[in-house]
Amino acid sequence: MSSPAGLKNPGAAVRGVGAAGLAVEGVVLLLALLPLAKLGHGHTTAAIWLCAVLAVVCFLLCGFMKRSWAWIAGLLVQVVLLAGGFLHWSLLALGLVFGPAWLYALYVRRSVYANKPD
C-alpha cells in the first residue's frame, strides 16, 4: 500500500531529509571555521571550538535519524547554535538560517507520521 504522498516508505524519506539537513549544516559549520579564525574577534577561540563540536555532532546525528531522540538532539543543536551568537554574531546568523529549516523538517516528520496508515 502506498502513502498519500506516493512514497513507498515515507519514514525513510523524512529521515533522509533530516540527515541531509544535518549533513549540510555540518559542512557549513566546518566552512565557517576559517573565516572565524581569520576575521573573528572577541571570543574567537570559543566560537571556533563550538563550531567544530557542533559540526561533529551534526555528522554523528546523521546516522541516528531512526531514533526519536536524534530529532530532539538536532533541535538542541539549533538552540546551541543560536546561543553561540553570544560568542560571535555569525553563529547567530547560522542559527537563524538552519533553525527554521530544522523546524520545518520536524513539521514534515510530524505530518508524515500523523498520516501514517495502520
Side-chain angles (χ1 to χ4, degrees):
M1 173 183 275
S2 150
S3 72
L7 298 171
K8 290 183 182 179
N9 190 348
V14 171
R15 288 191 303 271
V17 167
L22 286 171
V24 168
E25 185 172 0
V27 169
V28 169
L29 287 169
L30 288 178
L31 289 172
L33 291 176
L34 186 59
L36 274 174
K38 296 292 182 186
L39 305 173
H41 58 285
H43 304 288
T44 305
T45 304
I48 290 171
W49 275 105
L50 181 64
C51 243
V53 168
L54 287 179
V56 170
V57 169
C58 284
F59 292 133
L60 288 174
L61 286 176
C62 287
F64 289 106
M65 296 286 36
K66 278 190 175 183
R67 316 264 190 223
S68 61
W69 60 263
W71 290 88
I72 303 303
L75 184 60
L76 288 176
V77 167
Q78 310 313 316
V79 171
V80 171
L81 191 56
L82 285 169
F86 289 110
L87 298 174
H88 197 273
W89 65 267
S90 62
L91 298 180
L92 176 66
L94 289 176
L96 290 174
V97 169
F98 286 105
W102 189 254
L103 289 175
Y104 180 70
L106 287 172
Y107 168 76
V108 170
R109 178 180 184 261
R110 191 174 101 186
S111 65
V112 164
Y113 285 118
N115 295 327
K116 190 174 182 181
D118 293 329

